[in-house]
């Protein structure tokens, strides 16, 4: 148990569907992240939120829409995805300190049909 | 959590032997380096880190070596155990604590 919980663990959706991934951290951290892990590439940083404010958007297509209502919760809203978006989506959190230690959830495995 | 389909370098090690996993990083401005372990079905887990002003750091059964001259990082695992079987990622931090970039990973297989 890492203190970062992601739901759902598995999601299958069609290209016209709208779904959301949820992440919750119980560690009191101030920063939260979305990473994408696909079969063809290394872990890719998508978004960073620090104290609920988005501080990084790594050129992510607009069909991915993040939401961070508070420092403990992070959502990734999905709409009109493509099959190539199928991947493991990992949420992470960190304290606001000068280290690189990220605490990851177990991920949400997304399949787009 | 496994990188299914990704052609990962694989290191096979006999149980009890030492393992050395290597990583080349790209950005000479990176100030912090981290090793993560990812077991099947799980997210990456922090193992050990090292600042750019150091060349060696030791943890419990693990040692990280940093060679900034050739931009090379290595993770040494002493007395490798079956539970060490996983994919290992090196990561570098550039431009502040939020910009952590991961390498492609190395799969470690421990032979009982």
């Amino acid at each position: 148990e890492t203190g970062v919980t992601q739901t759902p663990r598995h999601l299958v959706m069609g290209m016209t569907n709208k779904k959301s991934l949820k992440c919750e951290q119980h560690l009191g951290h101030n920063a939260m992240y979305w990473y994408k892990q696909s079969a063809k590439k290394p872990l890719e940083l998508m978004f960073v939120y620090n104290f609920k404010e988005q501080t990084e958007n790594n050129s992510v297509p607009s069909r991915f829409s993040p939401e961070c209502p508070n420092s403990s919760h992070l959502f990734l809203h999905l709409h009109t995805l493509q099959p190539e978006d199928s991947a493991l989506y990992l949420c992470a959190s960190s304290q606001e300190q000068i280290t690189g230690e990220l605490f990851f959830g177990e991920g949400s495995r997304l399949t787009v049909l | 959590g496994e990188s299914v389909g990704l052609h990962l370098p694989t290191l096979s090690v006999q149980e009890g032997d030492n393992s050395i996993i290597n990583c080349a990083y790209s950005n000479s401005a990176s100030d912090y380096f981290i090793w993560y372990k990812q077991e099947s079905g799980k997210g990456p887990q922090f193992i050990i880190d090292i600042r750019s002003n150091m060349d060696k750091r030791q943890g419990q059964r693990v040692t990280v070596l940093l060679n900034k001259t050739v931009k090379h990082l290595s993770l040494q695992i002493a007395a490798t155990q079956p539970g060490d079987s996983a994919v290992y990622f090196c990561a570098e931090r550039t431009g502040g604590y939020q910009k952590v970039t991961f390498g492609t990973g190395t799969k470690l297989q421990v032979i009982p």
Side-chain angles (χ1 to χ4, degrees):
Chain A
E1 180 59 50
T2 64
V4 179
T5 303
Q6 290 187 244
T7 55
R9 292 295 309 280
H10 299 273
L11 177 64
V12 179
M13 60 187 289
M15 290 190 284
T16 58
N17 292 157
K18 290 184 179 181
K19 297 286 184 183
S20 295
L21 306 181
K22 178 182 176 182
C23 177
E24 182 175 2
Q25 59 97 357
H26 311 275
L27 302 168
H29 291 166
N30 297 317
M32 296 189 75
Y33 310 74
W34 281 115
Y35 277 86
K36 176 183 178 183
Q37 187 173 39
S38 58
K40 304 294 184 185
K41 299 179 182 179
L43 274 156
E44 299 173 73
L45 177 64
M46 300 176 72
F47 301 104
V48 182
Y49 279 82
N50 188 26
F51 287 101
K52 303 187 299 179
E53 298 298 319
Q54 188 180 119
T55 57
E56 184 78 19
N57 177 337
N58 202 27
S59 303
V60 180
S62 59
R63 58 186 184 270
F64 295 91
S65 176
E67 179 189 1
C68 188
N70 54 61
S71 293
S72 299
H73 294 84
L74 185 64
F75 295 89
L76 188 62
H77 303 300
L78 316 168
H79 61 98
T80 58
L81 295 191
Q82 305 298 312
E84 59 264 30
D85 296 322
S86 298
L88 182 71
Y89 288 85
L90 289 159
C91 174
S93 70
S94 70
Q95 290 180 301
E96 191 183 14
Q97 59 187 26
I98 50 170
T99 71
E101 183 172 0
L102 300 171
F103 292 76
F104 283 89
E106 296 191 329
S108 294
R109 172 71 65 186
L110 173 67
T111 302
V112 182
L113 301 177
Chain B
E2 71 279 10
S3 298
V4 176
L6 185 63
H7 177 66
L8 296 173
T10 300
L11 175 67
S12 295
V13 176
Q14 203 74 35
E15 181 179 357
D17 287 352
N18 296 335
S19 303
I20 300 176
I21 301 172
N22 296 303
C23 176
Y25 65 92
S26 57
N27 194 333
S28 56
S30 294
D31 63 348
Y32 213 86
F33 303 90
I34 315 103
W35 280 100
Y36 283 87
K37 170 186 180 183
Q38 188 174 22
E39 298 176 64
S40 181
K42 296 186 178 181
Q45 181 181 11
F46 173 90
I47 303 173
I48 191 169
D49 57 10
I50 188 168
R51 295 180 187 275
S52 59
N53 61 355
M54 302 170 67
D55 54 19
K56 180 179 180 179
R57 190 169 186 215
Q58 287 185 293
Q60 188 176 19
R61 275 200 315 120
V62 295
T63 301
V64 56
L65 299 178
L66 174 63
N67 186 330
K68 293 183 289 293
T69 302
V70 295
K71 290 192 278 189
H72 183 267
L73 193 66
S74 69
L75 177 71
Q76 300 177 2
I77 304 173
T80 311
Q81 302 169 359
D84 295 326
S85 294
V87 176
Y88 289 81
F89 296 94
C90 66
E92 57 185 305
R93 189 190 74 180
T94 311
Y97 73 96
Q98 295 175 341
K99 285 183 177 285
V100 177
T101 305
F102 285 78
T104 52
T106 296
K107 185 174 183 179
L108 176 64
Q109 292 180 328
V110 181
I111 305 165

